[in-house]
Amino acid sequence: MTEMTLLTILQWIDLIGVLFNAILGAVIGRAAKLDIIGLGVLAIMSGLGGGMMRDMMLQIGPPIAITDGRYITTALIGAAVVVLIRVEGRWWDRIYPPMDALALGAWAAAGSLKTLEAGFGVLPALMLGTLTAVGGGFVRDMVLRRIPGI
C-alpha cells in the first residue's frame, strides 16, 4: 500500500472542492436556463476560477488547472452530474451547506499553503487563500449578472 502524503491528501480535497463547486455552478446555470455548453462553462468557472486566479498572481508557473487534466475533467464531471441528475429540492438544500463549507475551507487552506510555499508571508497567504476559496463563485455570479453571494 502506498503512503499518502499531505500533498496527496490536499490534492484530493482540492479536487473534491472543484467537483462540489462545479456542481453548484451548473445548478445555478440550470436555474438561469443555460444550455449544456453554458452549464459546462459555468461549472468550469465556478470550480476552477479561484485557483487559476491565485496561480496567476503567484507567478510560479502555469495554473495547475491547465497543467493537470484532472482539474478540468472533474469540473466537467460536476456539470455532467447536473445534466444527468435533477440536483434540487429538499435533499439538495440539506447537503449544499456542508458541501460548500468543505470546499471553501479546503480551498482557503490550499490557497494559503501554496502561497506560503511560494515564499510569501502570512498576509499574502490570507489574501490568496480567500481568493482561492471565493474567486470561482465570484466570477460565476458576475457572469450571470448576480450580486456575488460570498
Side-chain angles (χ1 to χ4, degrees):
M1 186 167 146
T2 61
E3 182 180 313
M4 290 204 77
T5 65
L6 179 60
L7 183 59
T8 304
I9 292 169
L10 284 175
Q11 284 176 336
W12 278 106
I13 291 171
D14 198 24
L15 288 169
I16 290 168
V18 169
L19 178 67
F20 288 168
N21 272 331
I23 289 171
L24 176 60
V27 166
I28 291 170
R30 175 180 270 166
K33 302 193 183 316
L34 298 181
D35 63 9
I36 192 168
I37 301 298
L39 292 181
V41 169
L42 211 56
I44 290 168
M45 284 182 188
S46 187
L48 302 177
M52 290 184 71
M53 285 188 272
R54 175 208 60 223
D55 289 350
M56 288 172 27
M57 287 183 171
L58 287 175
Q59 297 183 357
I60 55 173
I64 192 167
I66 294 173
T67 60
D68 187 339
R70 295 178 299 170
Y71 282 82
I72 196 160
T73 302
T74 301
L76 291 173
I77 288 170
V81 166
V82 174
V83 168
L84 298 173
I85 301 170
R86 205 72 174 151
V87 181
E88 61 184 21
R90 179 181 262 176
W91 72 273
W92 172 252
D93 293 340
R94 286 188 182 158
I95 196 170
Y96 165 71
M99 219 169 70
D100 191 40
L102 175 66
L104 291 177
W107 280 345
S112 297
L113 182 62
K114 190 165 187 175
T115 304
L116 291 170
E117 287 176 350
F120 292 92
V122 173
L123 288 177
L126 290 172
M127 181 184 77
L128 291 181
T130 302
L131 177 66
T132 303
V134 301
F138 180 82
V139 170
R140 174 200 65 227
D141 290 344
M142 295 304 291
V143 165
L144 291 176
R145 299 179 58 157
R146 296 173 25 147
I147 295 173
I150 298 172

